[in-house]
């Protein structure tokens, strides 16, 4: 086909509309897509933040719950189960050791350590303990606990065994305590070889050297001092020469006026010669010393002194030494020969022993003096008979500790909470004593106690009864007790005028308390020829 000429052809039209349409549509779609994406992002962002926050919060709660109570009270908690196993295993370790099953105790201890390491690692990672990682530990511990039951380590059996064990230990403790008290008492009652040697040597010198007896008998100045009530009179009732010498020596060394001091010593016939020889041979800085024996007192007989009749009774002796009359319930401390010695009871007869004296200070032989005691003779007793330091403070006791308050006679006459006081350093007004017939009061209570139902033994209980309402409390620094059985504050010791070694641990015995012995020994002259001869120290 032949083409037309150019002038006869139609002009070509350019189609702009479709192009614009598609471009517009494409642009609008792009915009819509952007809007959709923008809206989608805006919606997703808050949702994702919430989820992340929630997850973080839950994770914190989970981490905190590892140490919370909820974890331990949860019955399904593996941590709780493992802890319970550890606690039970620890108890079985102790029981296994007590049964001498050391191998089993070692196995338990090893497994306890393994379980504790597992719990420790869990705490460090702050993640819950899972069954997978704890399965072996729980199983191994369970097997060991099962074996413990096979050894009869289960609760019911062990409770019975432990009760039996406790009872057995209590019996052993009681027996050990009684044995210790018994041997301690025996040690306290012993006469050291050196002291026995001194008594024998002095007795020999007394009878061998007649000049000693003459010197002791012809001292007229001494006779006048013994009755002079302007002087300071002290009395000691003892059969221990060395202890008595320490009392006299310490008193004289610490006195402002030793020449005004008079010591009245009363002993028994066995020690009379030795005591006389020692205090005649030695001077104590001007102190006057007089020695008597109670066997010379004519008024001291069973018809006047109830306790003397009791001491001579065979049943009383048996009671003192064996306690056979009460099934052996009498404490060992009361089965002491000193309670059968009249020297222990003479303190209730001081006016009869020293009829010319008006005031006297009574001292035990187990004391030392480290202050001037002249002030005791000017203490106002306010009409009372006895001046003493009270002992109801701290660990010491009141009346109900010494007396039988189930007895109507005791209950009706004495306040159970009345404060006790100490024998060992007492100021006695002998004028008031005689006026109030205090010795008669003592006799009354001794006769009432013939069957030992008011108090057991000793001299303090009857003293508390005899001087009830007649005792004036002294300043505690005058008399410090306890150096023979307990610890005493060093400041109290330093301030004390009289230090009392009451108790079994006397300073002249091997069982004496070492830290207090120097206080006593500094008043002993170990260089004395007779002391060296008898190997003191």
């Amino acid at each position: 086909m032949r083409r037309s000429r150019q002038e006869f052809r139609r002009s070509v039209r350019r189609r702009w509309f479709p192009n614009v349409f598609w471009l517009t549509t494409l642009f609008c779609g792009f915009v819509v897509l952007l809007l959709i994406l923008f809206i989608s992002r805006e919606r997703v962002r808050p949702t994702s933040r919430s989820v992340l926050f929630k997850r973080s919060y839950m994770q914190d709660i989970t981490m905190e719950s590892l140490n919370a109570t909820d974890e331990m009270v949860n019955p399904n908690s593996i941590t709780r189960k493992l802890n319970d196993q550890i606690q039970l295993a620890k108890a079985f370790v102790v029981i296994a050791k007590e049964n001498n099953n050391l191998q089993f105790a070692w196995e338990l201890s090893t497994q306890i350590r393994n379980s504790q390491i597992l719990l420790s690692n869990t705490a460090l990672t702050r993640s819950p303990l899972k069954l997978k990682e704890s399965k072996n530990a729980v199983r191994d511990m369970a097997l060991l606990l099962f074996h413990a039951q096979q050894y009869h380590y289960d609760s019911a059996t062990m409770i019975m065994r432990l009760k039996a064990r406790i009872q057995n230990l209590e019996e052993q403790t009681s027996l050990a305590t009684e044995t210790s008290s018994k041997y301690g008492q025996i040690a306290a009652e012993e006469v050291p070889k050196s002291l026995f040697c001194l008594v024998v040597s002095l007795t020999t010198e007394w009878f061998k050297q007649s000049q000693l007896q003459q010197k002791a008998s012809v001292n007229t100045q001494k006779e006048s001092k013994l009755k002079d009530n302007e002087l300071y009179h002290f009395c000691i009732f003892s059969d221990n020469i060395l202890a008595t010498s320490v009392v006299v020596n310490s008193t004289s060394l610490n006195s402002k006026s030793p020449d005004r001091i008079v010591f009245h010593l009363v002993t028994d016939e066995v020690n009379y010669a030795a005591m006389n020889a020692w205090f005649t041979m030695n001077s104590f800085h001007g102190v006057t010393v007089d020695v008597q024996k109670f066997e010379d007192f004519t008024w001291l007989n069973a018809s006047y002194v109830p306790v003397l009749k009791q001491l001579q009774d065979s049943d009383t002796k048996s009671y003192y030494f064996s306690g056979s009359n009460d099934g052996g319930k009498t404490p060992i401390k009361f089965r002491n020969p000193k309670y059968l010695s009249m020297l222990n009871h003479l303190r209730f007869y001081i006016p009869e022993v020293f009829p010319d004296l008006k005031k006297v200070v009574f001292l035990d032989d187990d004391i030392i003096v480290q202050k001037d005691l002249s002030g005791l003779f000017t203490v106002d007793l306010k009409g009372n008979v006895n001046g003493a330091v009270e002992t109801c403070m701290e660990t010491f006791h009141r009346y109900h500790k010494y007396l039988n308050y189930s007895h109507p006679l005791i209950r009706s006459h004495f306040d159970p909470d009345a404060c006790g006081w100490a024998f060992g350093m007492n100021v006695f007004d002998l004028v008031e004593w005689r006026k109030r017939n205090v010795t008669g009061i003592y006799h009354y209570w001794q006769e009432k106690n013939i069957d030992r139902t008011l108090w057991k033994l000793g001299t303090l209980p009857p003293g508390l009864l005899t001087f009830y309402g007649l005792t004036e409390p002294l300043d505690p620094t005058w008399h410090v007790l306890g150096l023979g059985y307990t610890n005493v504050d060093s400041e109290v010791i330093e301030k004390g005028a009289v230090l009392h070694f009451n108790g079994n641990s006397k300073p002249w015995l091997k069982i004496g308390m070492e830290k207090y012995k120097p206080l006593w020994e500094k008043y002993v002259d170990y260089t004395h020829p007779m002391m060296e001869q008898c190997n003191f120290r």
Side-chain angles (χ1 to χ4, degrees):
M1 180 175 180
R2 213 163 60 171
R3 296 175 61 95
S4 299
R5 280 197 254 182
Q6 186 173 1
E7 59 264 31
F8 293 107
R9 294 179 189 167
R10 276 193 269 179
S11 59
V12 181
R13 290 182 181 178
R14 297 187 182 272
R15 296 181 178 179
W16 293 104
F17 175 75
N19 294 335
V20 172
F21 174 78
W22 288 110
L23 287 171
T24 304
T25 302
L26 184 62
F27 177 76
C28 290
F30 181 75
V31 171
V32 170
L33 182 60
L34 288 176
L35 287 173
I36 291 172
L37 289 173
F38 180 77
I39 292 171
S40 298
R41 286 183 178 181
E42 289 299 314
R43 289 180 178 177
V44 169
R45 281 178 183 173
T47 303
S48 62
R49 285 178 182 173
S50 177
V51 171
L52 288 172
F53 176 77
K54 187 174 182 180
R55 287 179 181 173
S56 176
Y57 175 77
M58 291 304 293
Q59 187 178 6
D60 290 343
I61 291 296
T62 302
M63 293 171 72
E64 289 179 2
S65 69
L66 295 176
N67 296 322
T69 305
D70 293 341
E71 178 72 11
M72 298 309 298
V73 298
N74 182 4
N76 299 319
S77 169
I78 301 173
T79 303
R80 171 187 173 182
K81 186 173 183 178
L82 203 55
N83 268 303
D84 290 345
Q85 285 185 328
I86 290 172
Q87 296 306 317
L88 186 57
K90 286 181 177 179
F92 286 151
V93 167
V94 176
I95 296 170
K97 288 181 178 179
E98 288 182 351
N99 287 271
N100 205 30
N101 194 345
L102 302 181
Q103 176 63 29
F104 185 63
W106 177 82
E107 292 176 3
L108 282 170
S109 300
T110 302
Q111 191 55 44
I112 288 172
R113 284 194 296 272
N114 294 339
S115 298
Q116 288 174 335
I117 291 171
L118 184 59
L119 291 175
S120 177
N121 292 336
T122 302
L124 289 173
T125 58
R126 296 181 65 83
S127 59
L129 186 60
K130 297 179 181 179
L131 180 60
K132 183 178 180 180
E133 57 188 353
S134 63
K135 182 178 179 180
N136 292 336
V138 173
R139 182 195 61 198
D140 293 344
M141 184 69 84
L143 286 172
L144 286 174
L145 296 178
F146 174 75
H147 286 309
Q149 292 183 351
Q150 299 303 307
Y151 288 128
H152 300 290
Y153 292 168
D154 57 290
S155 301
T157 304
M158 285 315 303
I159 287 173
M160 294 181 64
R161 292 181 66 182
L162 287 173
K163 285 184 177 179
R165 180 68 172 164
I166 290 171
Q167 184 177 359
N168 185 40
L169 289 173
E170 287 178 347
E171 291 175 356
Q172 290 182 18
T173 302
S174 177
L175 180 61
T177 302
E178 184 178 353
T179 303
S180 176
S181 299
K182 179 179 180 179
Y183 288 124
Q185 190 66 51
I186 292 172
E189 294 170 13
E190 75 168 353
V191 178
K193 290 182 179 179
S194 54
L195 184 56
F196 178 76
C197 169
L198 182 64
V199 172
V200 173
S201 299
L202 287 170
T203 302
T204 302
E205 291 298 316
W206 176 257
F207 289 107
K208 186 169 68 173
Q209 299 185 29
S210 58
Q211 62 268 27
L212 286 178
Q213 299 181 36
Q214 294 175 0
K215 183 179 178 181
S217 60
V218 299
N219 195 334
T220 55
Q221 184 180 6
K222 170 183 168 181
E223 291 293 331
S224 62
K225 283 188 172 183
L226 295 179
K227 301 178 182 180
D228 188 349
N229 282 291
E230 297 298 320
L231 303 179
Y232 307 132
H233 294 270
F234 297 88
C235 66
I236 304 174
F237 306 135
S238 174
D239 57 1
N240 188 320
I241 295 172
L242 184 61
T244 304
S245 176
V246 168
V247 177
V248 175
N249 193 32
S250 62
T251 304
S252 64
L253 287 173
N254 292 288
S255 174
K256 296 178 181 178
S257 305
D259 58 316
R260 292 177 55 81
I261 293 176
V262 180
F263 265 97
H264 302 264
L265 310 181
V266 180
T267 188
D268 54 21
E269 193 165 13
V270 174
N271 293 277
Y272 175 72
M275 193 84 75
N276 246 322
W278 180 261
F279 286 99
T280 303
M281 292 168 59
N282 301 286
S283 61
F284 295 88
H285 309 281
V287 170
T288 301
V289 180
D290 180 61
V291 181
Q292 302 180 73
K293 56 182 178 180
F294 71 82
E295 286 86 355
D296 289 340
F297 300 152
T298 55
W299 51 266
L300 191 61
N301 52 70
S303 61
Y304 176 65
V305 181
V307 71
L308 187 60
K309 182 179 181 180
Q310 294 173 19
L311 294 178
Q312 295 171 351
D313 183 68
S314 60
D315 290 338
T316 302
K317 292 180 180 180
S318 175
Y319 183 83
Y320 271 72
F321 284 105
S322 65
S324 58
N325 291 2
D326 66 345
K329 295 179 181 179
T330 305
I332 187 68
K333 67 179 181 178
F334 291 124
R335 301 174 206 165
N336 191 323
K338 75 176 185 178
Y339 294 116
L340 288 174
S341 171
M342 195 59 211
L343 289 173
N344 199 48
H345 299 271
L346 277 179
R347 64 193 68 191
F348 296 104
Y349 298 94
I350 292 177
E352 284 84 351
V353 178
F354 312 113
D356 298 313
L357 299 183
K358 296 180 179 179
K359 182 173 283 190
V360 68
V361 172
F362 167 79
L363 297 175
D364 267 339
D365 62 3
D366 55 352
I367 65 102
I368 62 165
V369 178
Q370 58 178 13
K371 307 282 184 182
D372 179 66
L373 298 185
S374 59
L376 288 172
F377 293 87
T378 58
V379 170
D380 183 9
L381 297 182
K382 300 177 182 178
N384 288 307
V385 177
N386 174 30
V389 170
E390 293 181 330
T391 57
C392 57
M393 303 82 68
E394 299 176 356
T395 60
F396 294 100
H397 304 185
R398 297 179 183 269
Y399 267 51
H400 65 85
K401 292 292 184 179
Y402 300 97
L403 306 171
N404 178 20
Y405 272 85
S406 64
H407 197 291
L409 196 59
I410 295 293
R411 193 167 57 247
S412 61
H413 283 80
F414 305 99
D415 178 9
D417 291 322
C419 195
W421 43 268
F423 267 131
M425 198 288 298
N426 304 80
V427 183
F428 289 122
D429 185 335
L430 302 185
V431 175
E432 286 294 325
W433 185 314
R434 297 181 183 99
K435 185 186 300 184
R436 295 171 180 261
N437 190 23
V438 173
T439 303
I441 298 174
Y442 169 69
H443 286 168
Y444 171 81
W445 288 113
Q446 278 290 353
E447 289 171 351
K448 290 294 182 183
N449 194 48
I450 193 170
D451 55 357
R452 293 178 290 275
T453 56
L454 304 185
W455 70 88
K456 290 295 181 182
L457 301 168
T459 53
L460 182 56
L464 296 176
L465 300 181
T466 301
F467 295 100
Y468 184 73
L470 301 174
T471 299
E472 178 66 21
L474 300 179
D475 188 297
T477 58
W478 279 116
H479 188 188
V480 176
L481 296 102
L483 279 75
Y485 73 94
T486 189
N487 292 318
V488 184
D489 187 272
S490 57
E491 292 185 4
V492 174
I493 291 176
E494 186 178 352
K495 295 178 181 178
V498 171
L499 305 182
H500 198 164
F501 293 82
N502 56 314
N504 283 338
S505 301
K506 304 300 184 186
W508 56 84
L509 300 175
K510 290 182 179 179
I511 62 172
M513 299 181 73
E514 292 296 331
K515 62 180 178 180
Y516 297 139
K517 276 188 176 183
L519 296 171
W520 185 85
E521 289 180 334
K522 68 180 180 180
Y523 296 108
V524 180
D525 183 10
Y526 288 105
T527 63
H528 192 284
M530 301 199 75
M531 298 286 285
E532 291 181 341
Q533 176 186 334
C534 291
N535 297 317
F536 276 90
R537 266 193 173 174

